Amino acid sequence: GRQGEGHIRAFAVVRPIRRLRIYDLVPERAHDLAARMHRELGVPAEAVVTAQDAVEGADLVVTVTSSREPVLRGAWLQQGAHVSAVGASTPLERELDVDAVARSILFADRRESIESESADYLEAIRAGAVLPGHVRAELADVVVGRDPGRTRSDEITLFKSLGLAVEDLAAARYVFEKA
């Protein structure tokens, strides 16, 4: 969808993208997005049949769903992968299984939000796979250098975003000024 498309573009600005694998519950949408991204970015892009096909062997993974059940399994993640989990932003939605959270070094847009609203995180605590406080840092801590972010190349890093009102305000201001 639109969120996935935006994240591909954003990652392409900051990381070299060599290949894209796109999964969507509606295969036609995955094919359309793959074709657009291939034309725009000039990299091989393919629609795949399963989420597992999209994730296994990937360096960067983005989940943007409103699923109530996990769509990403920790067992699929390779060492050194980075996951941006930006969907499933209510306590009733989950994109990640317990193993994905437990295997990851976890970063949040806001610690308070993830600790009270993220079903992905809360289920991992309930299952005993992580302890409260598993969130290593907020994104702002990494950006300003208070936290180093990834410290080893084999770490699986996970950024779980629930969205912040300040982000919405900044986007609205930008759109307003451009209009």
Side-chain angles (χ1 to χ4, degrees):
R2 289 274 179 227
Q3 286 280 336
E5 186 171 341
H7 281 83
I8 291 169
R9 287 189 178 112
F11 273 115
V13 169
V14 297
R15 308 287 291 179
I17 303 293
R18 296 183 310 266
R19 176 180 171 209
L20 292 168
R21 293 185 306 238
I22 300 167
Y23 170 72
D24 193 301
L25 288 173
V26 180
E28 297 77 27
R29 289 195 308 225
H31 286 283
D32 290 347
L33 180 55
R36 278 196 314 280
M37 293 296 96
H38 172 69
R39 284 191 305 274
E40 184 176 320
L41 301 176
V43 298
E46 65 179 306
V48 295
V49 177
T50 68
Q52 184 174 357
D53 293 337
V55 172
E56 285 186 331
D59 295 322
L60 300 170
V61 177
V62 178
T63 57
V64 187
T65 77
S66 57
S67 179
R68 291 184 178 264
E69 298 295 325
V71 295
L72 186 145
R73 307 258 173 236
W76 302 340
L77 296 169
Q78 71 175 0
Q79 292 301 110
H82 170 74
V83 178
S84 285
V86 297
S89 56
T90 74
L92 300 175
E93 300 169 336
R94 286 184 61 204
E95 295 183 303
L96 314 172
D97 73 355
V98 166
D99 188 43
V101 176
R103 291 185 64 204
S104 301
I105 306 299
L106 180 57
F107 299 89
D109 48 10
R110 183 160 162 83
R111 187 183 309 268
E112 179 183 3
S113 297
I114 197 171
E115 290 174 348
S116 62
E117 299 171 21
S118 171
D120 296 318
Y121 177 72
L122 295 171
E123 186 58 32
I125 289 175
R126 275 192 288 276
V130 301
L131 296 173
H134 184 67
V135 177
R136 177 148 120 210
E138 292 182 356
L139 180 61
D141 295 325
V142 177
V143 170
V144 300
R146 282 191 298 260
D147 187 277
R150 181 187 303 266
T151 58
R152 293 189 337 262
S153 62
D154 64 340
E155 288 178 327
I156 297 171
T157 54
L158 167 60
F159 172 59
K160 178 61 187 167
S161 175
L162 296 173
L164 296 173
V166 70
E167 294 168 344
D168 296 337
L169 289 172
R173 179 178 178 164
Y174 175 80
V175 169
F176 176 77
E177 288 173 355
K178 289 296 179 185

